[in-house]
Amino acid sequence: MSNLPPIQSSQNLKVQLVRALMNQGKARQKHQSFVAEGVRLLEDGLRSTVPLKFALFKQTPSTRSASLLKNLDESGVELNLVDDQLFDSLSGTEHSQGVIGVFEIKSFALPEKADFLVVPDQLRDPGNLGTILRSAEAAGAQAVLLPPGNTDAFAPKVVRSGMGAHFRLPIQHLPWDVIEHLLEGLAVFHANMQGEQICWQADLKQPLALLIGGEAEGVSPEGASLASSSLRIPMAGETESLNAAISASLLMFEVARQRAWSKP
């Protein structure tokens, strides 16, 4: 790898593929691939079972990137050095660490007997969705099911905000009829600032799904029809509502807290 000259042409097929994967949901779907940028994300990916197809490195990588480059080169991963200016034109971050990996979108198996699922509904903001994925993985959710109307879970900004959740958590875009089937037998709690139950008084130890609506539009009619109850987070201040990702995180960790306390 080190003997090959750096890629300098924007017409290079791998450069074109990375650009398409970073900007087009249709390209991610067609190639069943997504982009992860930065040393931390690539290290997370390499520790997972998600296949790394290839990586692009700046011609003059950072010290940490150079160490990762050496390890990948020794492990036989396909590596491509890219001219610094061309790499920077691809990068989705202001201060790039100089490494981009293309990973396969792996379809993790859904749990046979689900008891903790998360269903974001009409989440348009990539940062919010990524934070929800990160919190879902940390709180022990078994899967995140994404109905139509959400932003693409494998878009670069979502992947960055997810902080490695994409390599460990089942994340699936599904139609509502499939989601309805998967939620059978679960209590479906809709997060709502005017909810029927206070979150820490509700029984969240039972098998359940949390339905998280987007900040702009809330839940869709399809999502609302599946909810069996609603939860609210009490607030002492005068703030009208919480960010969707913060609300979701608080509720997910309340599920985790109740279940941890209920164990002998």
Side-chain angles (χ1 to χ4, degrees):
M1 187 277 300
S2 58
N3 295 325
L4 296 176
I7 296 170
Q8 296 182 313
S9 172
S10 61
Q11 301 305 307
N12 177 274
L13 293 179
K14 286 188 171 60
V15 168
Q16 289 185 326
L17 175 59
V18 167
R19 197 182 300 279
L21 293 176
M22 295 189 82
N23 296 306
Q24 301 170 22
K26 289 182 178 179
R28 292 188 287 272
Q29 184 175 15
K30 175 183 176 181
H31 296 281
Q32 283 298 289
S33 302
F34 71 98
V35 168
E37 183 172 0
V39 174
R40 169 73 179 275
L41 276 178
L42 260 75
E43 288 176 342
D44 273 354
L46 292 171
R47 286 192 293 268
S48 75
T49 59
V50 178
L52 172 60
K53 294 185 173 183
F54 66 89
L56 302 183
F57 277 81
K58 289 183 76 167
Q59 188 176 3
T60 54
S62 66
T63 302
R64 192 174 175 193
S65 295
S67 177
L68 176 62
L69 172 61
K70 182 175 182 295
N71 292 336
L72 289 176
D73 195 21
E74 291 174 351
S75 65
V77 172
E78 182 184 348
L79 304 174
N80 302 268
L81 288 182
V82 179
D83 173 79
D84 286 2
Q85 186 174 355
L86 178 58
F87 187 99
D88 288 341
S89 75
L90 289 174
S91 174
T93 61
E94 185 175 349
H95 302 290
S96 173
Q97 292 182 319
V99 55
I100 295 173
V102 173
F103 287 87
E104 180 181 312
I105 295 179
K106 180 177 179 178
S107 182
F108 288 94
L110 295 174
E112 291 184 12
K113 189 174 182 181
D115 70 358
F116 185 9
L117 301 178
V118 178
V119 185
D121 187 8
Q122 303 194 117
L123 264 290
R124 318 287 194 200
D125 183 83
N128 275 344
L129 181 56
T131 299
I132 288 172
L133 297 177
R134 180 181 183 180
S135 294
E137 196 274 335
Q142 295 166 298
V144 174
L145 311 179
L146 293 155
N150 286 291
T151 194
D152 182 0
F154 292 90
K157 288 183 180 179
V158 182
V159 174
R160 284 200 300 275
S161 298
M163 291 296 289
H166 293 75
F167 300 118
R168 299 181 289 271
L169 178 70
I171 303 166
Q172 294 196 14
H173 286 272
L174 299 168
W176 273 115
D177 59 336
V178 175
I179 291 176
E180 182 176 6
H181 174 71
L182 292 171
L183 298 186
E184 288 178 3
L186 302 181
V188 180
F189 289 97
H190 164 209
N192 189 311
M193 296 309 296
Q194 287 77 46
E196 301 161 354
Q197 301 183 69
I198 294 175
C199 58
W200 53 67
Q201 294 177 350
D203 176 14
L204 304 182
K205 299 183 291 295
Q206 63 183 308
L208 60 80
L210 291 178
L211 181 67
I212 310 296
E215 291 182 52
E217 302 172 71
V219 299
S220 64
E222 295 89 343
S225 70
L226 299 179
S228 52
S229 185
S230 57
L231 296 175
R232 71 180 187 273
I233 300 168
M235 296 191 299
E238 298 182 8
T239 300
E240 181 180 343
S241 64
L242 294 175
N243 172 283
I246 292 174
S247 297
S249 299
L250 287 170
L251 293 176
M252 286 187 278
F253 276 95
E254 176 60 16
V255 174
R257 186 196 68 82
Q258 288 193 20
R259 294 181 179 191
W261 278 93
S262 69
K263 293 179 181 178

